[in-house]
Amino acid sequence: MTQGNSSHYQVLRIPVTATDKEIKVAYRKAARLSHPDHGGDPAAFRRVTLAYETLIDAKRRAEYDRSYGSGLRGSYSTAPGDEGAHFDAPAAGSHASANVRRPNTPRNTAADAPVFVPPFEQFAQAGQMPLIPEDVARQQIHGLPRKRGIFGAEARIQREMRTVQLISRQILPAIPAARLINGLQSPADNSHIDHALLAGYRMAIIGSMLLPPGAYAWNGSTLTHGGRSIAPPQLAHVVRRMQDIFPELNVTGWTVVHSTDGNLHQPVIDQHRRTSGGSQDMVQVVNAAGLARGLKQFLNSGPAPNTVNVPVLARLLRGMH
């Protein structure tokens, strides 16, 4: 079925009478099958995402139904052949020359200018209000650490500001489409999410700690120093919840441990991975240098790193405290 011949209902394989619950179930199934991270087709994934974003919103769905019934469904469709947001190909073999591009291998687009999906021109042409203003969507940093509670606010704000500065200097200039959202309310409990970093179809949930220099060990669930256990932020359940909320994304968790002396390579954190799997596959514990390196690799290797997913960004901004 080509895009030009498929309605949003056909893309999700649901009847026009489908309920919101049926739309969500169908979308999760279609997103898993078409997601590029799982070997799916990028164009099909974009169609699935567009169909879901349109049908799950009551107002947009009603407008789509009217336009579709009148033969004007193009007002909510991406033009056939639109290649504005490119998905990355699997990594090439290490023996290939750095100066030789393989035929039909899309280049990495992380450093490209941001592509907004859906484009703001689409809303203007249809005479509709966008989900968020374009000038807001073009900002790379949203919100700042805010005072929460009475005790420990100064230390928390200090470590969160270090994280904001690190990402601002190391990540955002290299990935223009990356968007950093600070101070989110956690959808998993009554706590807060320090930072969320979104680029393309990948999102990192980031917490922070401030610890003295030295050698630390992380085994996937416990952080130790000198035989003493230190409790890191509990992010695994938040990552799972965010993954449920945003099934179109690949969501991971990161805890950055800042050193009191400002050295990006301290503390030294030894990784002791367990063979049984678990939270270490969902949350990484790293120092500042490791966070910068790991986030670049995670976001760069994802599909369409030059894309700003406007509906996801809008939902995140609504969740700021």
Side-chain angles (χ1 to χ4, degrees):
M1 224 177 250
T2 64
Q3 181 177 353
N5 295 329
S6 301
S7 72
H8 290 332
Y9 295 101
Q10 290 171 318
V11 168
L12 295 181
R13 299 181 181 275
I14 55 176
V16 295
T17 56
T19 64
D20 285 354
K21 181 178 181 180
E22 291 170 337
I23 292 172
K24 291 178 181 179
V25 171
Y27 171 64
R28 290 191 179 98
K29 180 179 179 180
R32 284 195 298 268
L33 293 175
S34 60
H35 200 295
D37 271 5
H38 301 291
D41 176 57
F45 180 69
R46 288 198 295 271
R47 292 195 292 271
V48 166
T49 301
L50 178 61
Y52 173 75
E53 291 167 354
T54 301
L55 299 182
I56 201 62
D57 184 285
K59 182 177 179 181
R60 292 181 65 186
R61 181 180 182 181
E63 293 176 353
Y64 174 79
D65 287 345
R66 286 195 296 269
S67 64
Y68 183 74
S70 303
L72 302 176
R73 58 182 166 169
S75 62
Y76 279 107
S77 300
T78 304
D82 178 15
E83 298 298 333
H86 300 283
F87 289 85
D88 302 329
S94 58
H95 300 293
S97 170
N99 297 321
V100 177
R101 289 182 60 193
R102 293 186 175 183
N104 302 321
T105 301
R107 64 182 179 83
N108 187 282
T109 62
D112 288 2
V115 173
F116 295 91
V117 177
F120 283 93
E121 294 82 0
Q122 176 177 306
F123 293 100
Q125 292 170 0
Q128 300 163 350
M129 289 292 294
L131 296 173
I132 52 176
E134 184 174 358
D135 61 338
V136 173
R138 290 190 177 278
Q139 297 175 20
Q140 282 197 283
I141 302 177
H142 299 269
L144 289 172
R146 300 183 185 183
K147 186 174 182 179
R148 298 192 296 268
I150 301 175
F151 302 103
E154 182 177 348
R156 179 188 57 75
I157 292 174
Q158 180 183 358
R159 67 175 185 261
E160 289 185 20
M161 284 303 301
R162 288 196 185 191
T163 305
V164 171
Q165 293 170 357
L166 177 68
I167 294 174
S168 299
R169 296 168 181 172
Q170 301 285 340
I171 308 297
L172 300 187
I175 310 177
R179 298 294 182 263
L180 176 62
I181 303 93
N182 304 296
L184 287 166
Q185 292 180 330
S186 171
D189 48 36
N190 293 324
S191 65
H192 297 80
I193 299 173
D194 293 345
H195 319 278
L197 184 61
L198 174 70
Y201 293 89
R202 290 193 168 185
M203 180 165 59
I205 302 300
I206 305 165
S208 60
M209 302 179 73
L210 187 62
L211 298 174
Y216 293 75
W218 168 251
N219 67 359
S221 61
T222 305
L223 183 67
T224 57
H225 173 61
R228 183 169 63 93
S229 176
I230 301 170
Q234 299 301 308
L235 292 182
H237 70 297
V238 178
V239 172
R240 292 190 194 96
R241 181 65 181 134
M242 294 294 276
Q243 184 67 80
D244 289 339
I245 295 173
F246 299 101
E248 68 270 35
L249 304 181
N250 183 346
V251 184
T252 59
W254 301 74
T255 294
V256 54
V257 182
H258 295 288
S259 174
T260 52
D261 63 5
N263 186 338
L264 301 185
H265 301 278
Q266 283 282 354
V268 175
I269 301 175
D270 297 324
Q271 304 287 335
H272 300 285
R273 295 181 64 86
R274 297 175 302 177
T275 59
S276 59
S279 61
Q280 81 276 15
D281 297 321
M282 189 174 298
V283 178
Q284 300 281 342
V285 175
V286 293
N287 57 27
L291 181 73
R293 181 174 59 253
L295 285 180
K296 281 183 182 179
Q297 181 179 5
F298 173 65
L299 298 177
N300 283 345
S301 61
N306 65 318
T307 294
V308 178
N309 191 317
V310 177
V312 171
L313 179 60
R315 293 178 68 185
L316 291 173
L317 295 182
R318 287 198 296 269
M320 293 172 60
H321 62 76

